[in-house]
C-alpha cells in the first residue's frame, strides 16, 4: 500500500465501467481509492462491486453526508466494505451544506460539530472493536478476513479539526490551502488529540489538479471542478481564513484565486509532484489526487491520462522524496502515554 498517495474517483458513479480505470490505477500503484457522496449509484455499493470484480482495494469516503444516513446503517455499510475487501476502509463523514440541512430538517443544524461527534461515537459503538483500527496501528493489525474501519471527519475549519482530534482516525480536507493546513488545522487536531490522550488523526487532503496542456485554461478547469463550492459560504469562509480572497457571489473570480494561490494545482507533471511533496512536508499523510476539472471539461479519457501521467511522475521520484516526514509519524507524547501525530 502506497499510503502517501490516494486517488479520487472524481464524479458520482453512474455505472461500474467508468470507475474501473481508476480502480486499476489504484491497484497497480497500491493506492487508496476514494469516493465522494453519491446520489446516483451508492458509493459503498460501488466499492463492493469493485471488490467483486477483483479490486479488493483500500477505499475511503471523502465524504458521506451523514444527515442522509442513520448510524446503524452507515456502520453496517462501512464494516461490509472492510469485510468484503479484507482492507481498511476510511469511513469519512461530513454535515453537508446549510442548504442540505435546511432541506432535511427545515433549518440548518445548530451544532453540526457536536452532531458529527455524536454520529461517529454511535458508529463506533456498532462496529465490533476488533474491526476498528487507527493511526497507531500497522498493517499487521488488519485481519485480512475481516478488514477494518477507520472513521474520518471532513475538516474545513478549526472547530471540526478539534472534533477530529478528539473523535476520528482521519481528518479529510477539501480545497484547503497548504499554509492553512500546516499552520491552523493540523495544530488544532494535534492539540485536541493530546488533550484527550489519543492518537492524532491522519490527514488526507483532497487536491484538485490538472496537467498544463495546449488549449487548457486553468481558471475554467478550477471553476468546472469546484464552482459550486465557491458559491457555498462554509467553503468561502474557510478559503478566506486560509488567505485566498474569494467571494461566494463571484465563483468565477474565486476560481482564478484558487489557481493563483496554488490551491488548485496546474502545471507540468513534475511541478505537480513537487506540490504534492510540499503537502507531505507540511504534515499531510495522504494526498488524494482529483482530476475532476479535466473530466468535466475535456472528458474521461483526458482525465485518466492526466492521472496516469501524474502517478508515473510520482513513482519516478525517489522514495525519500515522498517519505512522510518524521513530525507526521505517530509518536509518544511527552505529556501523556497517548500517541500523537
Amino acid at each position: 500500500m502506497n499510503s502517501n498517495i490516494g486517488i479520487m474517483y472524481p464524479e458520482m458513479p453512474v455505472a461500474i465501467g467508468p470507475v474501473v480505470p481508476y480502480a486499476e490505477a489504484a491497484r497497480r500503484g497500491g493506492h487508496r481509492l476514494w469516493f465522494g457522496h453519491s446520489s446516483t449509484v451508492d458509493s459503498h455499493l460501488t466499492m463492493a462491486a469493485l471488490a467483486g470484480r477483483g479490486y479488493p482495494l483500500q477505499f475511503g469516503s471523502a465524504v458521506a453526508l451523514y444527515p442522509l444516513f442513520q448510524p446503524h446503517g452507515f456502520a453496517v455499510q462501512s464494516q461490509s466494505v472492510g469485510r468484503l475487501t479484507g482492507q481498511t476502509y476510511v469511513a469519512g463523514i461530513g454535515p453537508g451544506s446549510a442548504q442540505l440541512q435546511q432541506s432535511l430538517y427545515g433549518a440548518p443544524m445548530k451544532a453540526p460539530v457536536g452532531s458529527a461527534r455524536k454520529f461517529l461515537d454511535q458508529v463506533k459503538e456498532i462496529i465490533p472493536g476488533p474491526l476498528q483500527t487507527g493511526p497507531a496501528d500497522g498493517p499487521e493489525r488488519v485481519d485480512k478476513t475481516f478488514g477494518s474501519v477507520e472513521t474520518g471527519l471532513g475538516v474545513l475549519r478549526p472547530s471540526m479539526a478539534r472534533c477530529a482530534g478528539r473523535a476520528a482516525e482521519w481528518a479529510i480536507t477539501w480545497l484547503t490551502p497548504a499554509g492553512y493546513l500546516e499552520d491552523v488545522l493540523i495544530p488544532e487536531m494535534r492539540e485536541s488529540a493530546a488533550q484527550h490522550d489519543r492518537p492524532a488523526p491522519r490527514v488526507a487532503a483532497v487536491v484538485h489538479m490538472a496537467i498544463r496542456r495546449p488549449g487548457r485554461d486553468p481558471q475554467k478547469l478550477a471553476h468546472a471542478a469546484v464552482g459550486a463550492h465557491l458559491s457555498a459560504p462554509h467553503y468561502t469562509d474557510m478559503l478566506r481564513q486560509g488567505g485566498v480572497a474569494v467571494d461566494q457571489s463571484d465563483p468565477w473570480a474565486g476560481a482564478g484565486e484558487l489557481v493563483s494561490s496554488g490551491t488548485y494545482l496546474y502545471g507540468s507533471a513534475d511541478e505537480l509532484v513537487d506540490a504534492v511533496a510540499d503537502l507531505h512536508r507540511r504534515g499531510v499523510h495522504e494526498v488524494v489526487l482529483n482530476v475532476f476539472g479535466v473530466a468535466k471539461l475535456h472528458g474521461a479519457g483526458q482525465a485518466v491520462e492526466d492521472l496516469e501521467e501524474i502517478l508515473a511522475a510520482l513513482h519516478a521520484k525517489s522514495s525519500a522524496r515522498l517519505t512522510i516526514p518524521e513530525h507526521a509519524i505517530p509518536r509518544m507524547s511527552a505529556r501523556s502515554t497517548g500517541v500523537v501525530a
Side-chain angles (χ1 to χ4, degrees):
M1 169 68 182
N2 186 335
S3 59
N4 282 341
I5 301 297
I7 296 171
M8 186 83 190
Y9 182 67
E11 306 182 63
M12 291 186 184
V14 296
I16 199 66
V19 187
V20 168
Y22 292 85
E24 179 59 28
R27 183 199 62 77
R28 191 167 57 246
H31 307 293
R32 191 185 318 274
L33 183 59
W34 295 79
F35 290 84
H37 187 88
S38 177
S39 300
T40 53
V41 176
D42 179 80
S43 294
H44 289 122
L45 293 181
T46 303
M47 298 171 202
L50 287 170
R53 287 204 172 198
Y55 295 100
L57 307 170
Q58 293 208 33
F59 290 111
S61 174
V63 292
L65 304 180
Y66 72 83
L68 297 173
F69 293 88
Q70 51 89 18
H72 183 271
F74 186 79
V76 170
Q77 289 190 36
S78 297
Q79 71 180 32
S80 296
V81 173
R83 286 174 180 265
L84 291 171
T85 60
Q87 305 279 4
T88 299
Y89 170 53
V90 179
I93 64 165
S97 66
Q99 183 179 9
L100 172 71
Q101 297 163 20
Q102 175 86 31
S103 70
L104 293 172
Y105 305 127
M109 290 179 180
K110 293 182 179 179
V113 175
S115 176
R117 185 178 70 247
K118 180 179 179 181
F119 189 94
L120 282 189
D121 289 343
Q122 291 173 325
V123 167
K124 289 181 178 184
E125 288 176 1
I126 296 162
I127 297 174
L131 298 188
Q132 297 184 40
T133 54
D137 296 317
E140 69 282 352
R141 170 70 173 74
V142 181
D143 187 320
K144 292 301 181 182
T145 302
F146 300 107
S148 73
V149 177
E150 297 180 356
T151 60
L153 274 178
V155 171
L156 296 181
R157 292 178 284 193
S159 57
M160 197 65 89
R162 290 190 291 272
C163 184
R166 176 178 179 176
E169 284 68 60
W170 287 80
I172 303 160
T173 70
W174 185 283
L175 279 185
T176 42
Y180 177 68
L181 262 171
E182 180 182 25
D183 298 334
V184 178
L185 295 183
I186 291 175
E188 291 282 4
M189 297 170 203
R190 291 176 175 167
E191 181 178 355
S192 177
Q195 289 172 350
H196 292 90
D197 293 329
R198 66 184 305 274
R202 296 185 179 102
V203 179
V206 180
V207 182
H208 288 265
M209 60 183 65
I211 292 178
R212 184 173 56 244
R213 300 190 192 278
R216 290 185 176 181
D217 181 330
Q219 187 171 4
K220 288 182 179 179
L221 287 163
H223 187 261
V226 295
H229 299 80
L230 292 170
S231 299
H234 57 307
Y235 275 97
T236 53
D237 177 68
M238 175 275 292
L239 286 164
R240 286 192 297 270
Q241 289 188 44
V244 183
V246 296
D247 188 311
Q248 69 185 82
S249 67
D250 193 351
W252 171 251
E257 292 293 335
L258 290 183
V259 174
S260 62
S261 66
T263 306
Y264 184 95
L265 299 179
Y266 185 72
S268 68
D270 285 340
E271 289 169 338
L272 298 180
V273 167
D274 289 342
V276 167
D278 179 62
L279 285 165
H280 285 134
R281 285 191 292 269
R282 293 174 184 268
V284 174
H285 298 77
E286 185 169 333
V287 177
V288 183
L289 315 181
N290 191 336
V291 291
F292 180 44
V294 180
K296 195 168 183 181
L297 286 188
H298 301 285
Q302 287 197 34
V304 171
E305 183 181 349
D306 270 27
L307 177 64
E308 294 281 12
E309 189 171 334
I310 295 164
L311 290 172
L314 282 162
H315 297 159
K317 299 290 183 179
S318 67
S319 58
R321 181 76 178 274
L322 292 179
T323 298
I324 296 177
E326 184 179 352
H327 70 266
I329 298 175
R331 61 188 184 278
M332 299 304 297
S333 168
R335 55 185 292 179
S336 74
T337 57
V339 181
V340 298

